[in-house]
Each structure stands twice: as structure tokens, then as C-alpha cells.
Amino acid sequence: MLVKQKKVDLSLYGYSILQIETKSVCNMNCLFCAYGSRKDKGRTLSREDVLGLIDSLDNSSGRLKYVCFSHFNEPLLDERIYDFIEYARKKGFPVLIITNGLLFKDKEIVSRLIDSGPEFIKLSLQVLNESLFKSSRGINGQFTEYKSNVVNFLKSSLDGSSQVTVDIACNFLSGFRNFKTKIFGLERGDPSVYPDTDSLKDDIKVFLNDLKKIDLRFSFDLNKIDNYLKSLNQNYALDQGFVLAGNIILKIKPFIYGMRLREFYPLKTGSKCPNEILGILAGGEVVPCCLAYGDMLTMGNIKNEALDDILEKNKVWIDNLHKGRNLPLTCRRCLGAPTKRGAIVKGLKARVK
């Protein structure tokens, strides 16, 4: 029986983004993603559940940034996704779609995505050469075609209304940070992507040249890419990106280790969790962050209870997460480090704060 959802203001629980995973399927097997280890693949949220969740959102506070139809999945594999985008937008909620772009070989999919008009599209491109593509994304022999389809999608996006961000992955392991993370055993990102900006520079230049060749509306100055890369730090949120066209930017994304929630050494004491993303998995499970999956940190299920009731009964627990109090092991792993000494160092730092 379908649970009737009640109006809920997510900001009252510290959340500014809602992620709805409409279908737990993906067409890549990326080493940096937890999708491959999931035991709940293939599940689907009903149309009624998805629309009910959207209808339940109360954004009178204006603090909801957007609804994202992605979690650890490829949203374009769900043929209903365009209807969901349009429905959310009609209800007044901005929409973000995160896609790996592998389906851009289908011109109808490209057209339907652009026409549905999500406010934001994030292209999870991450690596830009065939060797890394094969090893990090688990795809054989399709890189040339894939990159060409991405370029054509970006050209088509010039005529759309969406703000498009192209993400390239980087661990920023250069200079003092490389030394510090080695000595103290701290987070070093994911080994399957570019270690530093120098290692990705040439691949980006080839990609940007491809854009220049296909459409003169890509108005960037290729000579400025070196200065952009040199100016970067790990603050992705504050990075304005390298402008490729009026509505398209390229950004370098600092990576984290994808299996940290299960493999990292945990902090012994708490540290504040800055996450503001609430997740709804395709099985209906409500999770308190964008990194949880399966039965990890499940607070309830929207197929059994209203989202408002689930959040309300977990309000103290959620507040403790954001304040770093009485954290469960999974959260302490996430905030921990890949080595015991790293976890100790981070724990000491948390106490100082």
C-alpha cells in the first residue's frame, strides 16, 4: 500500500539537497564508486513514490538547493527520468542530473535530456585517456567513441537551458600535500584517477582542442588552462571553473576513496559531518548522506512510513551527526583515514576544533 507523504521542510533537519535514486542500475563499473559492491542492484522506486516525495517537499524557507535524481546509479537508464525532471521543475524545484554520459551515443536520449531542461547537468567525465578510462571505469574499447559522444553532447547543450559542469577527477597529490598525506597516513584520494593536475593537463588540452574544432561557440582561451590548473586547491565548492561556453564549465574534482565507509580506520571520537544531502535509495531506504548505500545507516523506508515521520523520529540522531556526537562506526570510518596513524592524527585535530 502506497504511503501518503506529508509536507516536510528538509532544512529543519540540516539538509539542503534531496537525492532520489529512482533505479539502482549503472552501465559502468568504476573502481572509485561503491556501486560494484552493492547488493541491492536493480531495485526501482515506483512512479507514485517518486512523485509523492516531490509533492511532499516544503521549500517555503528557500533553502532547498535542488532535487538530484542520482545516487550510486546512472539516472538515464531509467526511461521515466525525463518525466520526473519536468514534474519537479513544474513544482518549482531546481533539478540536478549527474550522468556518466555513456548513453550519449543515443541522440534521442541527448535530445530528451536537454529538452527536459534540468537546471543543472553534471557530466562525470573524470578521466580523459583510454588507459585510465579502461582501468578506472571498467569499460573496454569504447573510449574514442565515448569521448566523441561527450563532445557532441556538449555542442548540443549550447542550445539548451541547463548549466552544464564537466568534472575531471584529481587527487591533488603534489607538493606539501603529497608529503603530508604520506607521513601522517591521511586520505590520498582514489588511486584509479589522476594523482595531480600536472598528470591531467595534456589530456585536458586534447579534449579542449576537440571542442574548439567542433563549434566556434566554445569561446575559451586554451592558453589560459595552465594558469587555471595552477590556481586550483581542493575547495571544489568555491572553484568557479574554467568556462568553456556561456552555460558550460569544466571543473577539477578532488576525489575521495570510494570504499572508505567500509575500509577506513575510524576515528575514536566524533567529528562534525558537514553533509547536507539526504538520500532516498531505489529500495525506499532513507539515508543521511550521499555516500551511504544498501542497509548502511538506514533511518527508515518511505514505502512504510512518510518521510516526515522518518526524519522526525531520527531528529536527535541526525543532529548528533552534524555536531559530531555519538557517531556510528560507519560515520567514524568515513571521517577517519586509510591508516591507523591517520585516524589518530584526524582524531587529535577534531579534538582541537
Side-chain angles (χ1 to χ4, degrees), residues 55-324:
D55 286 338
S56 74
L57 297 177
D58 174 4
N59 194 27
S60 55
S61 67
R63 295 177 183 173
L64 183 68
K65 295 177 181 177
Y66 50 77
V67 175
C68 176
F69 293 107
S70 309
H71 199 76
F72 288 105
N73 67 314
E74 171 50 53
L76 301 186
L77 286 170
D78 187 346
E79 293 185 354
R80 309 168 301 166
I81 200 67
Y82 317 103
D83 293 336
F84 294 151
I85 294 170
E86 292 175 353
Y87 188 83
R89 296 188 68 238
K90 285 178 181 177
K91 292 291 183 175
F93 304 117
V95 173
L96 166 67
I97 291 292
I98 304 174
T99 174
N100 61 35
L102 194 59
L103 291 179
F104 288 165
K105 60 186 176 183
D106 188 323
K107 292 182 179 179
E108 182 181 354
I109 286 177
V110 169
S111 178
R112 292 183 72 186
L113 175 59
I114 292 173
D115 290 346
S116 66
E119 279 71 14
F120 311 103
I121 298 175
K122 185 170 287 191
L123 176 54
S124 178
L125 190 53
Q126 312 308 1
V127 294
L128 280 168
N129 70 56
E130 190 162 9
S131 177
L132 271 181
F133 182 75
K134 178 180 178 181
S135 61
S136 72
R137 312 217 72 172
I139 302 293
N140 269 324
Q142 298 181 36
F143 177 70
T144 301
E145 178 188 4
Y146 172 71
K147 188 168 77 164
S148 175
N149 291 333
V150 165
V151 168
N152 286 323
F153 165 76
L154 293 175
K155 177 182 178 180
S156 298
S157 296
L158 291 168
D159 299 316
S161 60
S162 303
Q163 293 294 313
V164 180
T165 300
V166 181
D167 272 350
I168 306 298
C170 183
N171 291 324
F172 287 87
L173 293 175
S174 58
F176 179 67
R177 182 170 185 272
N178 186 37
F179 171 79
K180 180 181 70 173
T181 54
K182 279 184 177 180
I183 293 298
F184 293 109
L186 299 171
E187 163 79 58
R188 290 178 60 81
D190 196 284
S192 67
V193 301
Y194 295 106
D196 51 45
T197 53
D198 283 343
S199 62
L200 57 79
K201 181 166 57 179
D202 290 342
D203 289 342
I204 282 184
K205 288 182 177 179
V206 171
F207 176 70
L208 295 182
N209 266 321
D210 291 341
L211 290 177
K212 280 282 192 182
K213 290 176 184 177
I214 200 170
D215 199 307
L216 293 177
R217 287 178 293 174
F218 290 107
S219 55
F220 55 85
D221 183 350
L222 187 56
N223 294 320
K224 293 183 178 180
I225 189 66
D226 286 350
N227 287 335
Y228 168 68
L229 294 176
K230 288 178 182 177
S231 71
L232 289 173
N233 56 40
Q234 285 190 279
N235 198 326
Y236 179 87
L238 295 181
D239 174 26
Q240 297 299 307
F242 187 76
V243 178
L244 304 180
N247 64 325
I248 305 174
I249 62 172
L250 178 144
K251 295 185 73 172
I252 311 301
K253 184 175 182 179
F255 252 43
I256 62 172
Y257 183 54
M259 300 301 293
R260 62 192 296 136
L261 274 66
R262 295 194 185 277
E263 297 182 9
F264 268 21
Y265 290 90
L267 296 183
K268 288 187 176 181
T269 56
S271 179
K272 292 181 181 180
C273 176
N275 175 71
E276 295 184 4
I277 302 174
L278 181 70
I280 313 290
L281 304 184
E285 298 88 355
V286 180
V287 292
C289 79
C290 58
L291 296 178
Y293 53 93
D295 58 357
M296 187 182 295
L297 301 176
T298 299
M299 297 187 289
N301 194 304
I302 57 104
K303 296 182 179 181
N304 303 322
E305 301 174 85
L307 178 59
D308 179 63
D309 291 335
I310 293 172
L311 293 175
E312 189 59 30
K313 76 178 184 181
N314 286 280
K315 188 171 184 178
V316 173
W317 186 75
I318 294 169
D319 188 54
N320 282 340
L321 290 183
H322 293 154
K323 293 181 178 179

